[in-house]
Short mmCIF file of all heavy atoms in Angstrom, two decimals:
data_model
loop_
_atom_site.label_atom_id
_atom_site.label_comp_id
_atom_site.label_asym_id
_atom_site.label_seq_id
_atom_site.Cartn_x
_atom_site.Cartn_y
_atom_site.Cartn_z
N LEU P 207 -1.24 -19.06 -3.71
CA LEU P 207 -1.12 -20.07 -4.76
C LEU P 207 -1.13 -21.48 -4.17
O LEU P 207 -1.73 -22.40 -4.75
CB LEU P 207 0.15 -19.83 -5.57
CG LEU P 207 0.34 -20.71 -6.81
CD1 LEU P 207 -0.79 -20.48 -7.82
CD2 LEU P 207 1.70 -20.41 -7.46
N ASP P 208 -0.49 -21.65 -3.01
CA ASP P 208 -0.48 -23.00 -2.43
C ASP P 208 -1.88 -23.43 -1.99
O ASP P 208 -2.24 -24.60 -2.08
CB ASP P 208 0.55 -23.11 -1.29
CG ASP P 208 0.08 -22.62 0.06
OD1 ASP P 208 -0.96 -23.08 0.56
OD2 ASP P 208 0.79 -21.80 0.66
N ARG P 209 -2.70 -22.48 -1.56
CA ARG P 209 -4.07 -22.83 -1.18
C ARG P 209 -4.89 -23.24 -2.41
O ARG P 209 -5.69 -24.18 -2.35
CB ARG P 209 -4.74 -21.64 -0.50
CG ARG P 209 -4.10 -21.22 0.81
CD ARG P 209 -4.88 -20.12 1.45
NE ARG P 209 -4.19 -19.57 2.61
CZ ARG P 209 -4.76 -18.77 3.49
NH1 ARG P 209 -6.02 -18.42 3.35
NH2 ARG P 209 -4.07 -18.31 4.52
N ILE P 210 -4.68 -22.52 -3.50
CA ILE P 210 -5.41 -22.86 -4.72
C ILE P 210 -4.96 -24.23 -5.24
O ILE P 210 -5.78 -25.06 -5.66
CB ILE P 210 -5.22 -21.76 -5.78
CG1 ILE P 210 -5.86 -20.45 -5.30
CG2 ILE P 210 -5.81 -22.19 -7.12
CD1 ILE P 210 -5.56 -19.26 -6.18
N ASP P 211 -3.64 -24.47 -5.22
CA ASP P 211 -3.15 -25.78 -5.67
C ASP P 211 -3.68 -26.90 -4.77
O ASP P 211 -3.98 -28.00 -5.25
CB ASP P 211 -1.62 -25.79 -5.69
CG ASP P 211 -1.06 -25.19 -6.97
OD1 ASP P 211 -1.79 -25.19 -7.98
OD2 ASP P 211 0.09 -24.71 -6.96
N ALA P 212 -3.78 -26.63 -3.48
CA ALA P 212 -4.35 -27.64 -2.58
C ALA P 212 -5.80 -27.92 -2.95
O ALA P 212 -6.25 -29.08 -2.95
CB ALA P 212 -4.25 -27.16 -1.14
N ALA P 213 -6.54 -26.87 -3.30
CA ALA P 213 -7.94 -27.05 -3.70
C ALA P 213 -8.04 -27.84 -5.01
O ALA P 213 -9.01 -28.56 -5.24
CB ALA P 213 -8.61 -25.69 -3.86
N LEU P 214 -7.00 -27.72 -5.85
CA LEU P 214 -6.97 -28.46 -7.12
C LEU P 214 -6.41 -29.87 -6.96
O LEU P 214 -6.32 -30.62 -7.93
CB LEU P 214 -6.13 -27.69 -8.15
CG LEU P 214 -6.76 -26.42 -8.71
CD1 LEU P 214 -5.73 -25.60 -9.47
CD2 LEU P 214 -7.94 -26.76 -9.61
N GLY P 215 -6.00 -30.21 -5.74
CA GLY P 215 -5.45 -31.54 -5.51
C GLY P 215 -4.01 -31.69 -5.93
O GLY P 215 -3.49 -32.81 -6.03
N GLN P 216 -3.33 -30.57 -6.17
CA GLN P 216 -1.93 -30.60 -6.60
C GLN P 216 -1.04 -30.49 -5.35
O GLN P 216 -0.47 -29.43 -5.04
CB GLN P 216 -1.66 -29.47 -7.60
CG GLN P 216 -2.50 -29.64 -8.86
CD GLN P 216 -2.41 -28.46 -9.83
OE1 GLN P 216 -3.08 -28.46 -10.86
NE2 GLN P 216 -1.61 -27.46 -9.52
N LYS P 217 -0.92 -31.61 -4.66
CA LYS P 217 -0.31 -31.63 -3.34
C LYS P 217 1.15 -31.20 -3.35
O LYS P 217 1.58 -30.38 -2.53
CB LYS P 217 -0.44 -33.04 -2.75
CG LYS P 217 0.18 -33.20 -1.37
CD LYS P 217 0.00 -34.62 -0.86
CE LYS P 217 0.68 -34.81 0.48
NZ LYS P 217 0.53 -36.21 0.98
N GLU P 218 1.94 -31.76 -4.27
CA GLU P 218 3.38 -31.46 -4.28
C GLU P 218 3.64 -29.98 -4.56
O GLU P 218 4.49 -29.35 -3.92
CB GLU P 218 4.09 -32.34 -5.31
CG GLU P 218 4.07 -33.82 -4.97
CD GLU P 218 4.67 -34.10 -3.60
OE1 GLU P 218 5.70 -33.47 -3.25
OE2 GLU P 218 4.11 -34.93 -2.86
N GLU P 219 2.90 -29.43 -5.53
CA GLU P 219 3.07 -28.01 -5.83
C GLU P 219 2.68 -27.15 -4.63
O GLU P 219 3.37 -26.18 -4.29
CB GLU P 219 2.22 -27.62 -7.04
CG GLU P 219 2.70 -28.18 -8.36
CD GLU P 219 2.12 -29.56 -8.63
OE1 GLU P 219 1.62 -30.21 -7.68
OE2 GLU P 219 2.18 -30.00 -9.80
N ALA P 220 1.58 -27.52 -3.98
CA ALA P 220 1.12 -26.75 -2.82
C ALA P 220 2.15 -26.78 -1.70
O ALA P 220 2.44 -25.74 -1.08
CB ALA P 220 -0.21 -27.31 -2.33
N LEU P 221 2.74 -27.94 -1.45
CA LEU P 221 3.74 -28.04 -0.39
C LEU P 221 4.99 -27.23 -0.73
O LEU P 221 5.57 -26.56 0.13
CB LEU P 221 4.11 -29.51 -0.16
CG LEU P 221 3.06 -30.36 0.55
CD1 LEU P 221 3.47 -31.83 0.54
CD2 LEU P 221 2.86 -29.88 1.99
N ARG P 222 5.41 -27.29 -1.99
CA ARG P 222 6.60 -26.54 -2.40
C ARG P 222 6.38 -25.03 -2.24
O ARG P 222 7.23 -24.31 -1.71
CB ARG P 222 6.94 -26.86 -3.85
CG ARG P 222 8.24 -26.18 -4.33
CD ARG P 222 8.57 -26.52 -5.77
NE ARG P 222 7.60 -25.98 -6.70
CZ ARG P 222 6.71 -26.71 -7.36
NH1 ARG P 222 6.65 -28.02 -7.19
NH2 ARG P 222 5.86 -26.14 -8.20
N GLU P 223 5.22 -24.56 -2.67
CA GLU P 223 4.91 -23.13 -2.56
C GLU P 223 4.77 -22.71 -1.10
O GLU P 223 5.22 -21.62 -0.71
CB GLU P 223 3.62 -22.84 -3.34
CG GLU P 223 3.79 -22.99 -4.84
CD GLU P 223 2.55 -23.51 -5.53
OE1 GLU P 223 1.51 -23.71 -4.86
OE2 GLU P 223 2.60 -23.72 -6.76
N SER P 224 4.17 -23.57 -0.31
CA SER P 224 4.01 -23.26 1.11
C SER P 224 5.36 -23.15 1.81
O SER P 224 5.60 -22.23 2.60
CB SER P 224 3.15 -24.33 1.78
OG SER P 224 2.99 -24.07 3.15
#
Side-chain angles (χ1 to χ4, degrees):
L207 187 61
D208 83 55
R209 297 184 188 193
I210 295 172
D211 277 336
L214 288 168
Q216 298 173 182
K217 179 180 177 181
E218 294 304 319
E219 290 88 343
L221 287 172
R222 184 180 66 252
E223 292 146 3
S224 179

